[in-house]
Amino acid sequence: KADPKDAYNVAVVLPFEYTKLAAEKNGRVSPIAVDMYNGIRLAQKQLAKEDVQINLFAYDVGADADKMMETVNRPGFRGSDLIIGPVNGAAIRVAVGFANETGIGQINPITTNSQIVQNTTAAYLFQASLETQARQAARFARKQFATPTAAVLFGGSPRDSLLADAYRRAFVQAGGKVSVYRSIKAGSDLSQMAAVVEQSGLGHLFVSTTNETVVLNLVSALEKLPAPLPVITQTNWLAFPMISYDQLERLQVHFVSPDYIDYRSPGAIAFRQAYIAQYNLIPSVYAYQGYDMMLFFGRILKTFGASFHAGLKSRPPAKGDIFAGYDYRNANDNQYVPIARFENGNYVLANPVE
Protein backbone atom coordinates (compact mmCIF):
# COMPACT_ATOMS: atom_id res chain seq x y z
CA LYS A 1 0.00 0.00 0.00
CA ALA A 2 1.21 3.47 -0.84
CA ASP A 3 1.64 5.95 1.98
CA PRO A 4 1.30 9.11 -0.11
CA LYS A 5 3.08 12.33 0.77
CA ASP A 6 2.63 15.85 -0.52
CA ALA A 7 6.28 15.83 -1.63
CA TYR A 8 9.19 13.41 -1.65
CA ASN A 9 12.72 14.38 -0.64
CA VAL A 10 15.44 13.03 -2.93
CA ALA A 11 19.10 13.27 -1.92
CA VAL A 12 21.46 13.36 -4.91
CA VAL A 13 24.93 12.36 -3.72
CA LEU A 14 27.42 12.80 -6.56
CA PRO A 15 31.06 13.89 -7.02
CA PHE A 16 30.38 17.46 -8.17
CA GLU A 17 33.89 18.48 -6.99
CA TYR A 18 32.93 22.04 -6.16
CA THR A 19 35.69 22.15 -3.55
CA LYS A 20 38.23 21.40 -6.25
CA LEU A 21 36.66 24.03 -8.47
CA ALA A 22 37.07 26.67 -5.78
CA ALA A 23 40.65 25.66 -4.95
CA GLU A 24 42.04 25.43 -8.47
CA LYS A 25 42.13 28.24 -10.98
CA ASN A 26 41.41 25.84 -13.84
CA GLY A 27 39.31 23.41 -11.81
CA ARG A 28 35.98 22.21 -13.14
CA VAL A 29 33.01 20.34 -11.82
CA SER A 30 32.58 16.69 -12.74
CA PRO A 31 30.74 16.50 -16.07
CA ILE A 32 29.26 13.13 -15.11
CA ALA A 33 27.74 14.50 -11.92
CA VAL A 34 26.51 17.77 -13.42
CA ASP A 35 25.03 16.13 -16.52
CA MET A 36 23.23 13.53 -14.43
CA TYR A 37 21.93 16.16 -12.01
CA ASN A 38 20.71 18.33 -14.87
CA GLY A 39 18.78 15.35 -16.21
CA ILE A 40 17.32 14.73 -12.75
CA ARG A 41 16.19 18.36 -12.55
CA LEU A 42 14.33 18.08 -15.84
CA ALA A 43 12.63 14.91 -14.58
CA GLN A 44 11.60 16.85 -11.47
CA LYS A 45 9.74 19.29 -13.73
CA GLN A 46 8.04 16.49 -15.66
CA LEU A 47 7.00 14.71 -12.48
CA ALA A 48 5.45 17.93 -11.17
CA LYS A 49 3.18 17.86 -14.24
CA GLU A 50 2.15 14.35 -13.11
CA ASP A 51 1.37 15.60 -9.57
CA VAL A 52 4.53 14.10 -8.10
CA GLN A 53 6.36 16.79 -6.16
CA ILE A 54 10.08 16.11 -5.75
CA ASN A 55 12.38 18.16 -3.52
CA LEU A 56 16.00 17.77 -4.60
CA PHE A 57 18.95 18.08 -2.22
CA ALA A 58 22.42 17.88 -3.77
CA TYR A 59 25.46 16.65 -1.80
CA ASP A 60 29.01 16.82 -3.10
CA VAL A 61 30.60 13.47 -2.18
CA GLY A 62 33.28 11.53 -4.02
CA ALA A 63 34.88 8.30 -2.81
CA ASP A 64 35.65 9.37 0.77
CA ALA A 65 33.87 7.24 3.38
CA ASP A 66 34.34 9.90 6.07
CA LYS A 67 32.71 12.55 3.88
CA MET A 68 29.78 10.21 3.23
CA MET A 69 29.47 9.44 6.95
CA GLU A 70 29.43 13.17 7.64
CA THR A 71 26.71 13.56 5.01
CA VAL A 72 24.38 10.85 6.37
CA ASN A 73 24.72 12.40 9.84
CA ARG A 74 23.65 15.84 8.66
CA PRO A 75 20.38 17.13 10.09
CA GLY A 76 17.63 16.35 7.65
CA PHE A 77 19.38 13.62 5.67
CA ARG A 78 17.32 10.97 7.44
CA GLY A 79 14.28 12.76 6.08
CA SER A 80 15.19 11.59 2.57
CA ASP A 81 12.71 9.36 0.79
CA LEU A 82 15.22 8.31 -1.87
CA ILE A 83 19.00 8.56 -2.24
CA ILE A 84 20.69 8.66 -5.64
CA GLY A 85 24.43 7.92 -5.38
CA PRO A 86 27.18 7.99 -4.33
CA VAL A 87 29.06 6.37 -7.22
CA ASN A 88 32.65 6.02 -6.01
CA GLY A 89 34.74 3.89 -3.65
CA ALA A 90 34.19 3.47 0.05
CA ALA A 91 31.42 6.08 0.11
CA ILE A 92 29.16 3.50 -1.55
CA ARG A 93 29.51 1.09 1.40
CA VAL A 94 28.52 3.83 3.84
CA ALA A 95 25.45 4.71 1.77
CA VAL A 96 24.34 1.08 1.44
CA GLY A 97 24.77 0.57 5.18
CA PHE A 98 22.67 3.67 5.85
CA ALA A 99 19.97 2.42 3.47
CA ASN A 100 19.86 -0.95 5.23
CA GLU A 101 19.66 0.72 8.63
CA THR A 102 16.90 3.16 7.74
CA GLY A 103 15.02 1.42 4.92
CA ILE A 104 15.46 4.48 2.70
CA GLY A 105 15.87 3.41 -0.93
CA GLN A 106 19.33 4.06 -2.36
CA ILE A 107 20.16 3.87 -6.08
CA ASN A 108 23.62 3.50 -7.56
CA PRO A 109 23.24 5.00 -11.04
CA ILE A 110 26.48 3.76 -12.62
CA THR A 111 28.09 0.64 -11.18
CA THR A 112 27.44 -2.92 -12.37
CA ASN A 113 29.11 -4.54 -9.36
CA SER A 114 26.67 -7.03 -7.86
CA GLN A 115 28.56 -7.24 -4.56
CA ILE A 116 27.36 -3.75 -3.67
CA VAL A 117 23.76 -4.93 -3.36
CA GLN A 118 24.32 -8.37 -1.88
CA ASN A 119 22.49 -8.94 1.40
CA THR A 120 20.68 -5.62 1.19
CA THR A 121 17.01 -4.81 1.42
CA ALA A 122 17.04 -1.17 0.36
CA ALA A 123 19.95 -0.55 -2.07
CA TYR A 124 19.63 -0.97 -5.84
CA LEU A 125 21.64 -0.76 -9.05
CA PHE A 126 20.07 1.33 -11.80
CA GLN A 127 21.67 -1.00 -14.35
CA ALA A 128 21.96 -4.77 -14.47
CA SER A 129 24.99 -6.25 -12.74
CA LEU A 130 27.58 -7.99 -14.92
CA GLU A 131 26.28 -11.37 -13.78
CA THR A 132 22.71 -10.40 -14.67
CA GLN A 133 23.83 -9.13 -18.07
CA ALA A 134 25.49 -12.46 -18.86
CA ARG A 135 22.63 -14.51 -17.45
CA GLN A 136 19.93 -12.67 -19.42
CA ALA A 137 22.04 -12.76 -22.59
CA ALA A 138 22.34 -16.55 -22.21
CA ARG A 139 18.59 -16.91 -21.78
CA PHE A 140 18.03 -14.77 -24.86
CA ALA A 141 20.44 -16.94 -26.87
CA ARG A 142 18.75 -20.13 -25.75
CA LYS A 143 15.41 -18.84 -27.04
CA GLN A 144 16.73 -17.02 -30.11
CA PHE A 145 19.10 -19.53 -31.70
CA ALA A 146 17.82 -22.91 -32.83
CA THR A 147 21.04 -24.87 -32.24
CA PRO A 148 21.53 -25.16 -28.46
CA THR A 149 25.34 -25.33 -28.55
CA ALA A 150 27.66 -22.41 -27.84
CA ALA A 151 31.33 -21.52 -27.81
CA VAL A 152 32.37 -19.12 -25.05
CA LEU A 153 35.54 -17.09 -25.63
CA PHE A 154 36.95 -14.59 -23.16
CA GLY A 155 39.93 -12.32 -22.61
CA GLY A 156 42.33 -12.08 -19.72
CA SER A 157 40.66 -9.50 -17.47
CA PRO A 158 38.63 -10.42 -14.37
CA ARG A 159 35.61 -8.78 -15.99
CA ASP A 160 35.98 -10.97 -19.10
CA SER A 161 36.18 -14.18 -17.11
CA LEU A 162 33.31 -13.19 -14.80
CA LEU A 163 31.02 -12.60 -17.77
CA ALA A 164 32.09 -15.82 -19.46
CA ASP A 165 31.56 -17.94 -16.37
CA ALA A 166 28.14 -16.45 -15.66
CA TYR A 167 27.13 -16.93 -19.30
CA ARG A 168 28.25 -20.56 -19.39
CA ARG A 169 26.39 -21.43 -16.20
CA ALA A 170 23.19 -19.70 -17.29
CA PHE A 171 23.23 -21.21 -20.79
CA VAL A 172 23.68 -24.73 -19.45
CA GLN A 173 20.99 -24.12 -16.84
CA ALA A 174 18.63 -23.08 -19.66
CA GLY A 175 19.21 -26.42 -21.39
CA GLY A 176 22.06 -25.49 -23.70
CA LYS A 177 25.51 -26.98 -24.15
CA VAL A 178 28.87 -25.17 -24.13
CA SER A 179 31.22 -27.15 -26.35
CA VAL A 180 34.11 -24.64 -26.22
CA TYR A 181 35.08 -22.58 -23.18
CA ARG A 182 38.39 -20.90 -23.87
CA SER A 183 40.51 -17.96 -22.85
CA ILE A 184 41.75 -16.11 -25.92
CA LYS A 185 45.15 -14.52 -25.52
CA ALA A 186 46.16 -11.15 -26.89
CA GLY A 187 48.30 -12.93 -29.50
CA SER A 188 45.56 -15.24 -30.77
CA ASP A 189 45.83 -15.22 -34.56
CA LEU A 190 43.41 -15.86 -37.38
CA SER A 191 44.13 -19.61 -37.56
CA GLN A 192 43.31 -20.02 -33.87
CA MET A 193 40.04 -18.13 -34.28
CA ALA A 194 39.17 -20.18 -37.35
CA ALA A 195 39.76 -23.42 -35.43
CA VAL A 196 36.99 -22.41 -33.03
CA VAL A 197 34.37 -20.99 -35.36
CA GLU A 198 34.69 -23.77 -37.93
CA GLN A 199 33.69 -26.47 -35.46
CA SER A 200 30.55 -28.26 -36.55
CA GLY A 201 27.38 -28.04 -34.55
CA LEU A 202 27.86 -24.56 -33.07
CA GLY A 203 24.77 -22.41 -32.74
CA HIS A 204 26.45 -19.17 -31.66
CA LEU A 205 29.46 -17.57 -29.98
CA PHE A 206 29.62 -15.58 -26.77
CA VAL A 207 32.69 -13.34 -26.77
CA SER A 208 33.97 -11.23 -23.90
CA THR A 209 37.18 -9.34 -24.68
CA THR A 210 38.28 -5.74 -25.11
CA ASN A 211 41.31 -6.63 -27.27
CA GLU A 212 40.79 -5.11 -30.70
CA THR A 213 43.32 -7.33 -32.48
CA VAL A 214 41.67 -10.48 -31.18
CA VAL A 215 38.26 -9.19 -32.25
CA LEU A 216 39.51 -8.30 -35.74
CA ASN A 217 40.95 -11.80 -36.17
CA LEU A 218 37.71 -13.31 -34.96
CA VAL A 219 35.67 -11.20 -37.38
CA SER A 220 37.97 -12.25 -40.24
CA ALA A 221 37.41 -15.91 -39.32
CA LEU A 222 33.64 -15.40 -39.17
CA GLU A 223 33.67 -13.73 -42.60
CA LYS A 224 35.11 -16.91 -44.13
CA LEU A 225 32.26 -19.14 -42.95
CA PRO A 226 29.74 -20.27 -45.57
CA ALA A 227 26.84 -19.18 -43.32
CA PRO A 228 26.67 -16.65 -40.46
CA LEU A 229 27.44 -17.87 -36.94
CA PRO A 230 25.60 -15.49 -34.60
CA VAL A 231 27.64 -13.71 -31.92
CA ILE A 232 26.72 -12.16 -28.58
CA THR A 233 29.24 -9.69 -27.22
CA GLN A 234 29.69 -6.28 -25.53
CA THR A 235 29.26 -2.86 -27.12
CA ASN A 236 33.03 -2.14 -27.20
CA TRP A 237 33.05 -3.71 -30.68
CA LEU A 238 31.11 -0.67 -31.90
CA ALA A 239 34.14 1.53 -31.22
CA PHE A 240 36.57 -0.47 -33.38
CA PRO A 241 37.03 1.56 -36.59
CA MET A 242 38.17 -1.42 -38.67
CA ILE A 243 34.77 -3.10 -38.29
CA SER A 244 31.84 -1.60 -40.17
CA TYR A 245 28.25 -1.63 -39.02
CA ASP A 246 27.42 -3.42 -42.26
CA GLN A 247 29.77 -6.24 -41.25
CA LEU A 248 28.21 -6.46 -37.81
CA GLU A 249 24.76 -6.75 -39.36
CA ARG A 250 25.83 -9.31 -41.93
CA LEU A 251 27.59 -11.44 -39.28
CA GLN A 252 24.54 -11.32 -36.97
CA VAL A 253 26.41 -9.78 -34.05
CA HIS A 254 24.21 -9.08 -31.02
CA PHE A 255 25.25 -6.65 -28.29
CA VAL A 256 24.60 -6.72 -24.58
CA SER A 257 23.69 -3.05 -24.37
CA PRO A 258 22.62 -1.89 -20.88
CA ASP A 259 22.89 1.78 -21.93
CA TYR A 260 20.75 1.30 -25.04
CA ILE A 261 18.87 4.42 -26.11
CA ASP A 262 16.82 4.77 -29.26
CA TYR A 263 17.68 8.38 -30.03
CA ARG A 264 14.91 8.45 -32.66
CA SER A 265 12.18 7.68 -30.11
CA PRO A 266 9.72 10.43 -29.16
CA GLY A 267 10.90 10.37 -25.54
CA ALA A 268 14.56 10.80 -26.42
CA ILE A 269 13.82 13.54 -28.95
CA ALA A 270 11.63 15.47 -26.50
CA PHE A 271 14.25 15.21 -23.77
CA ARG A 272 17.05 16.36 -26.05
CA GLN A 273 15.06 19.40 -27.13
CA ALA A 274 14.13 20.27 -23.53
CA TYR A 275 17.72 19.81 -22.34
CA ILE A 276 19.15 22.05 -25.05
CA ALA A 277 16.48 24.70 -24.38
CA GLN A 278 17.20 24.62 -20.63
CA TYR A 279 21.00 24.35 -20.55
CA ASN A 280 22.16 25.24 -24.08
CA LEU A 281 24.15 21.98 -24.11
CA ILE A 282 23.90 18.64 -25.90
CA PRO A 283 22.90 15.99 -23.32
CA SER A 284 25.39 13.22 -22.57
CA VAL A 285 24.33 9.66 -21.78
CA TYR A 286 24.55 10.60 -18.08
CA ALA A 287 21.94 13.30 -18.58
CA TYR A 288 19.61 10.77 -20.22
CA GLN A 289 20.27 8.37 -17.33
CA GLY A 290 19.54 10.97 -14.68
CA TYR A 291 16.28 11.93 -16.38
CA ASP A 292 14.91 8.44 -16.92
CA MET A 293 16.07 7.17 -13.53
CA MET A 294 14.34 10.02 -11.70
CA LEU A 295 11.17 9.60 -13.74
CA PHE A 296 11.05 5.87 -13.02
CA PHE A 297 11.70 6.07 -9.30
CA GLY A 298 9.60 9.21 -8.92
CA ARG A 299 6.64 7.30 -10.30
CA ILE A 300 7.51 4.38 -8.03
CA LEU A 301 7.34 6.78 -5.07
CA LYS A 302 3.94 8.00 -6.25
CA THR A 303 2.62 4.44 -6.64
CA PHE A 304 4.09 2.76 -3.57
CA GLY A 305 5.24 5.57 -1.28
CA ALA A 306 8.64 5.90 0.36
CA SER A 307 8.51 2.27 1.56
CA PHE A 308 8.40 1.07 -2.02
CA HIS A 309 10.63 -2.02 -1.81
CA ALA A 310 7.97 -4.75 -1.85
CA GLY A 311 6.01 -2.99 -4.57
CA LEU A 312 9.06 -2.46 -6.77
CA LYS A 313 10.08 -6.11 -6.47
CA SER A 314 6.64 -7.40 -7.45
CA ARG A 315 6.05 -4.97 -10.32
CA PRO A 316 6.08 -6.40 -13.87
CA PRO A 317 8.69 -5.18 -16.38
CA ALA A 318 8.05 -1.69 -17.72
CA LYS A 319 9.47 0.48 -20.47
CA GLY A 320 11.24 3.69 -19.58
CA ASP A 321 10.56 7.00 -21.26
CA ILE A 322 14.06 6.85 -22.78
CA PHE A 323 15.77 3.67 -21.60
CA ALA A 324 14.49 0.36 -22.85
CA GLY A 325 13.11 -1.09 -19.65
CA TYR A 326 13.14 -1.83 -15.93
CA ASP A 327 12.55 -5.08 -14.07
CA TYR A 328 13.32 -5.40 -10.36
CA ARG A 329 11.24 -8.49 -9.67
CA ASN A 330 12.79 -10.20 -6.66
CA ALA A 331 16.10 -8.42 -7.33
CA ASN A 332 18.16 -5.38 -6.37
CA ASP A 333 19.59 -4.79 -9.84
CA ASN A 334 17.70 -4.23 -13.08
CA GLN A 335 16.84 -7.65 -14.51
CA TYR A 336 15.96 -6.31 -17.93
CA VAL A 337 19.04 -6.37 -20.18
CA PRO A 338 18.71 -4.83 -23.65
CA ILE A 339 20.15 -6.93 -26.48
CA ALA A 340 20.69 -4.86 -29.62
CA ARG A 341 21.66 -5.61 -33.22
CA PHE A 342 21.82 -3.91 -36.59
CA GLU A 343 18.80 -4.29 -38.84
CA ASN A 344 18.64 -2.52 -42.21
CA GLY A 345 21.40 -0.25 -40.99
CA ASN A 346 19.61 0.73 -37.78
CA TYR A 347 20.72 -0.21 -34.26
CA VAL A 348 17.57 -1.79 -32.80
CA LEU A 349 16.43 -3.83 -29.83
CA ALA A 350 16.19 -7.57 -30.31
CA ASN A 351 14.29 -8.11 -27.03
CA PRO A 352 11.97 -5.15 -26.35
CA VAL A 353 9.81 -5.11 -23.22
CA GLU A 354 6.38 -6.30 -24.29
Side-chain angles (χ1 to χ4, degrees), residues 12 24 28 32 54 65-66 106 137 186 193 217 219 239 245 255 257 260 268-269 279 283 293 339 351:
V12 182
E24 299 179 10
R28 58 173 301 189
I32 293 176
I54 300 293
D66 291 339
Q106 185 260 340
M193 295 295 100
N217 284 330
V219 167
Y245 292 169
F255 299 92
S257 186
Y260 178 84
I269 292 171
Y279 303 113
M293 174 174 54
I339 308 293
N351 63 334

Side-chain angles (χ1 to χ4, degrees), residues 216-278:
L216 291 175
N217 284 330
L218 178 59
V219 167
S220 295
L222 290 168
E223 289 274 25
K224 296 177 184 302
L225 295 177
L229 177 63
V231 178
I232 295 182
T233 189
Q234 275 65 58
T235 54
N236 60 293
W237 285 32
L238 297 172
F240 297 153
M242 297 295 290
I243 305 174
S244 70
Y245 292 169
D246 178 67
Q247 274 182 298
L248 295 171
E249 179 172 349
R250 189 172 64 253
L251 296 175
Q252 298 183 18
V253 180
H254 297 68
F255 299 92
V256 179
S257 186
D259 290 331
Y260 178 84
I261 297 172
D262 180 358
Y263 290 99
R264 303 162 301 168
S265 69
I269 292 171
F271 171 74
R272 187 177 189 273
Q273 292 172 341
Y275 193 92
I276 293 172
Q278 179 72 33

Side-chain angles (χ1 to χ4, degrees), residues 111-115 117-118 125-141 159 162-167 169-171 206 232 234 256-258 325-339 351:
T111 188
T112 55
N113 184 351
S114 64
Q115 295 182 358
V117 292
Q118 283 182 351
L125 304 185
F126 175 63
Q127 295 190 5
S129 68
L130 290 178
E131 292 90 340
T132 297
Q133 291 179 34
R135 182 170 62 251
Q136 298 295 14
R139 291 173 179 171
F140 168 84
R159 184 181 188 277
L162 185 153
L163 284 165
D165 180 63
Y167 190 92
R169 286 187 285 109
F171 192 69
F206 176 79
I232 295 182
Q234 275 65 58
V256 179
S257 186
Y326 300 96
D327 180 6
Y328 287 90
R329 287 175 297 179
N330 301 312
N332 288 72
D333 65 319
N334 189 358
Q335 297 296 292
Y336 172 70
V337 177
I339 308 293
N351 63 334

